[in-house]
Amino acid sequence: LTPILTVGLSNKHVQVYDLRNPAQVIINKTTPLKHQLRCMDIFPSKDGFAVGSIEGRVAVEMIDNKEAKKKNFSFKCHRHQADK
């Protein structure tokens, strides 16, 4: 498996680096999230990542552009208010 690094930027972009050549960005993507990024994690298989926003929305993005359009999706967490 290739060692990769994902970096979430303030403009809602995500950059993916191959750590064998960290000077070059492999992928520069814009997330579909509307608010500031809060957290990010790479899949163990290193073929994609999940990114969460401060709004409670999560986007799942694939790194391979061929599969990206078929497999990318987003959803909103916390749909119901907690009991008071």
Side-chain angles (χ1 to χ4, degrees), residues 1-83:
L1 297 172
T2 303
I4 61 170
L5 169 73
T6 56
V7 179
L9 305 174
S10 62
N11 58 359
K12 297 181 280 184
H13 281 81
V14 174
Q15 292 181 339
V16 180
Y17 294 88
D18 181 349
L19 291 179
R20 295 175 297 181
N21 183 11
Q24 184 177 359
V25 176
I26 297 173
I27 295 172
N28 187 8
K29 286 186 146 193
T30 303
T31 66
L33 304 176
K34 296 178 184 175
H35 295 278
Q36 180 182 2
L37 303 181
R38 179 180 173 137
C39 56
M40 177 183 301
D41 202 2
I42 302 170
F43 299 159
S45 60
K46 295 183 177 46
D47 60 349
F49 58 91
V51 60
S53 74
I54 60 172
E55 174 193 30
R57 201 169 273 282
V58 175
V60 175
E61 300 276 326
M62 302 307 289
I63 292 174
D64 184 11
N65 285 331
K66 295 174 189 172
E67 294 188 21
K69 292 183 181 181
K70 294 185 279 184
K71 294 187 176 180
N72 290 351
F73 64 95
S74 62
F75 60 93
K76 180 146 182 176
C77 302
H78 312 295
R79 289 220 180 252
H80 303 285
Q81 283 189 349
D83 294 332

